[in-house]
C-alpha cells in the first residue's frame, strides 16, 4: 500500500537539505577569495556571521569546527584575511560559542521531534495499517492521501478482511477530516473487523457500523452532537461468482471490465450514524463477476476535486486511460488527480482497487 511507505514530506524528520550544509562553507571560501583579490576593503569580518548560519545545518561538533576555522582565519594575520585583535577576537569567539550552543539545542529538539513523529506514525499505522496485496481470493491495491499535511490518517478509511462469509471490504468517509476524525475512523474500523467475523449478512455489517456511530455520538462532547459517515460495503462470498454491495450515501464504485468502465448501480441508503437499525435494513445489490473484473472504490475527495477552472475531476472517464499504466491504477489515478488539481485536492482521498480472481492465497 503506497500510503504506508516513506515519501517526501512524511512524518519522519529529514536532514537539512544539501544546499544548507554547503552554503556556509561556500560563503567562507567566497569571502576568503574576495578578500585576497580586494585590498581596499576589509571583508574578513563578515566571516563572524557564518557560525550562526552553520548552526542551523550542522551539529554542535561541526559548528565548533566551523567557528574554530573562522577564528583561525581572523586571528592569524599572516593569512591576510583580517587583522582582528583582542576584543574583536573575543567577540567572534563568543559568537562562535553561542552558535555551538544553538546547534546543540537545535539538534536535541530535532531528535525529540523525530521521536515524537515516529510514535505518531506508528500510532496512525496501527489505526489504518497497509492493506495486503491479497486477501483471500481478492487482490488488493490501495492508496490514501490525507488532506492535513504531515498525517497518515484523516477522515477517510478503508479495509479488506477475510472471514467465514467471504472477503469483505469497507470504504468510508467520516464527518470532518484530519486528526480530529481519527477517533471515528478507529471506531468504524474496529466495528467492521468484528462484523466480518460475526455477521452473516452484509446489511447487518452496515447496521453494526451505524450503531457504533450512534453510540459514539451519544457520548460525544456537546460541540459534536452528531457523527455520521458515508460508506460502501463490499462482499465477495466464498465460491460464488458475484459481489454484493451496500451503499450508505457513498459515491458508487466503478467496475472495470476490459476497456469498459461503468458505475455499479446501488440504491443508496442514508449515511451511517443516522439510524439504519430501523425497520428497513439497507439494500443489498448482487452483481455478477466475470474473470478479469475489477472494482474501484473511492471517496468523494477524488470525484469532487476541482481544477483551476472549477471543473470536477472526471474519474470514470480517466480510469480507462490510466488503467494502462504499468505502475498500477491507483498510483496512476493519484498522479493524474494531483496534476489536474495542480498539487493535489484539498480533501482526503482514498482509493481501493479489488480484483477477484477466485484463487486462494
Amino acid at each position: 500500500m503506497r500510503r504506508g511507505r516513506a515519501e517526501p514530506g512524511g512524518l519522519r524528520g529529514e536532514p537539512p537539505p544539501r544546499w544548507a550544509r554547503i552554503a556556509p562553507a561556500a560563503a567562507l571560501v567566497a569571502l576568503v577569495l574576495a578578500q585576497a583579490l580586494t585590498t581596499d576593503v576589509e571583508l574578513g569580518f563578515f566571516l563572524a556571521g557564518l557560525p550562526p548560519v552553520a548552526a542551523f545545518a550542522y551539529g554542535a561538533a561541526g559548528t565548533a569546527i566551523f567557528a574554530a576555522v573562522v577564528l583561525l582565519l581572523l586571528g592569524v594575520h599572516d593569512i591576510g584575511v583580517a587583522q582582528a585583535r583582542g576584543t574583536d577576537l573575543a567577540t567572534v569567539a563568543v559568537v562562535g560559542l553561542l552558535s555551538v550552543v544553538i546547534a546543540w539545542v537545535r539538534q536535541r529538539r530535532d531528535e525529540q521531534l523525530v521521536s515524537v513523529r515516529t510514535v505518531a506514525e506508528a500510532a496512525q499505522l496501527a489505526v489504518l495499517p497497509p492493506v495486503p496485496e491479497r486477501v483471500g481470493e481478492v487482490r488488493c491495491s490501495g492508496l490514501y492521501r490525507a488532506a492535513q499535511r504531515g498525517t497518515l490518517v484523516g477522515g477517510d478509511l478503508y479495509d479488506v478482511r477475510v472471514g467465514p462469509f467471504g472477503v469483505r471490504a469497507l470504504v468510508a468517509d467520516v464527518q470532518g477530516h484530519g486528526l480530529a476524525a481519527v477517533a471515528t475512523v478507529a471506531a468504524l474500523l474496529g466495528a467492521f473487523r468484528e462484523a466480518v467475523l460475526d455477521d452473516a449478512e452484509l446489511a447487518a455489517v452496515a447496521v453494526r457500523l451505524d450503531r457504533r456511530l450512534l453510540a459514539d455520538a451519544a457520548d460525544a462532547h456537546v460541540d459534536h452532537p452528531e457523527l455520521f459517515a458515508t460508506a460502501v460495503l463490499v462482499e465477495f462470498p466464498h465460491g460464488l461468482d458475484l459481489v454484493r454491495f451496500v451503499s450508505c450515501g457513498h459515491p458508487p464504485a466503478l467496475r472495470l471490465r476490459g476497456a469498459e468502465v461503468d458505475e455499479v448501480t446501488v440504491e443508496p441508503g442514508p449515511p451511517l450514524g443516522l439510524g439504519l437499525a430501523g425497520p428497513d435494513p439497507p439494500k443489498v445489490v448482487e452483481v455478477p463477476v466475470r474473470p478479469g473484473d475489477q472494482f474501484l472504490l473511492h471517496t468523494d475527495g477524488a470525484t469532487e476535486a476541482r481544477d483551476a477552472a472549477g471543473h470536477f475531476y472526471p474519474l470514470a472517464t480517466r480510469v480507462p486511460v490510466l488503467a494502462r499504466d504499468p505502475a498500477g491504477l491507483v498510483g496512476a489515478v493519484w498522479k493524474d488527480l494531483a496534476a489536474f488539481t495542480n498539487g493535489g485536492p484539498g480533501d482526503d482521498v482514498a482509493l481501493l482497487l479489488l480484483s477477484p480472481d477466485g484463487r486462494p492465497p
Side-chain angles (χ1 to χ4, degrees), residues 184-200:
T184 307
V185 168
L188 282 176
L189 286 172
F192 172 72
R193 290 162 187 170
E194 291 180 358
V196 167
L197 301 175
D198 299 336
D199 294 330

Side-chain angles (χ1 to χ4, degrees), residues 8 18 99 105 115 127 154 185 216 242 257 261 312 324 333 352:
R18 182 175 299 178
S99 300
V105 172
S115 177
V127 173
V185 168
D216 289 350
L242 61 86
R257 177 171 287 173
V261 174
F312 290 110
R324 305 169 192 158
V333 169
L352 181 62

Side-chain angles (χ1 to χ4, degrees), residues 46-60:
F46 284 103
L47 295 172
L50 296 182
V53 177
F56 290 97
Y58 295 91

Side-chain angles (χ1 to χ4, degrees), residues 37-90:
L37 299 174
T38 304
T39 57
D40 298 335
V41 180
E42 188 169 330
L43 303 174
F45 286 101
F46 284 103
L47 295 172
L50 296 182
V53 177
F56 290 97
Y58 295 91
T63 304
I65 294 173
F66 203 92
V69 171
V70 170
L71 277 174
L72 180 67
L73 291 173
L74 295 178
V76 179
H77 301 164
D78 293 339
I79 298 178
V81 175
Q83 301 296 321
R85 301 179 183 276
T87 306
D88 295 333
L89 283 177

